[in-house]
């Protein structure tokens, strides 16, 4: 298994993985999310791959904070350390850009993710996140 930057032939497998990992929502078009990520910070979109893509981490840096999205591991490969490795790679790439802090959002109800992030040094911030859609997908 290697960690490498997303490449266009990965697209179909990545979207299938996001569906399988339960990360897709009707209001986010995963193909458009990939287009936007690859046109802004292509090197911050990391995949874990053996013969097939088995995990993803899509990060971005806004000049103040780094953000990680779409951290996902193929359901049959969870618990092998792939998620930890992907997050560490995203952190390392953000750090290399001078990013001082990394953030991420966890959907309500995804309690499993709390244990995962908590064990990797992440703590819950005392903030509510507000969002407003600018472009409907
Ligand atoms: C969350 C996710 C990315 C973790 O990836 P993973 O490859 O299964 O996790 P790892 O094997 O790297 O686990 C790293 C550590 O976190 C722990 N961990 C993993 N899942 C956990 C959970 N649900 N609760 C508590 N700890 C957990 C592991 O035990 C391991 O700790 P250890 O080394 O001390 O044993 C994966 O479960 C996943 O894709 N979930 C569905 C999508 C999702 O919810 N993504 C997060 C969106 S915010």
């Amino acid at each position: 298994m290697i960690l490498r930057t997303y490449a266009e032939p990965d697209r179909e497998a990545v979207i299938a993985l996001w569906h399988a990992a339960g990360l897709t929502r009707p209001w986010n078009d995963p193909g458009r999310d990939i287009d936007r990520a690859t046109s802004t910070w292509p090197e911050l979109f990391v995949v874990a791959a053996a013969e097939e893509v088995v995990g993803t981490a899509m990060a971005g840096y806004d000049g103040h904070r780094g953000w990680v999205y779409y951290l996902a591991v193929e359901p049959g490969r969870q618990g092998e350390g792939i998620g930890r490795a992907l997050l560490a790679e995203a952190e390392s790439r953000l750090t290399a850009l001078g990013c001082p802090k990394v953030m991420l959002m966890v959907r309500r109800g995804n309690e499993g993710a709390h244990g995962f992030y908590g064990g990797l040094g992440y703590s819950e911030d005392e903030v509510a996140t507000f969002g407003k859609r600018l472009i409907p997908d």
Side-chain angles (χ1 to χ4, degrees), residues 11 20 23 60:
R11 179 176 290 256
L23 291 185

Side-chain angles (χ1 to χ4, degrees), residues 21 23 71-73 78-84 105-106 110 112 115-117:
L23 291 185
L71 182 72
V73 173
Q78 291 176 7
E80 297 178 20
I82 297 171
R84 175 202 295 274
M105 291 181 273
V106 178
N110 190 356
F116 170 77
Y117 291 120

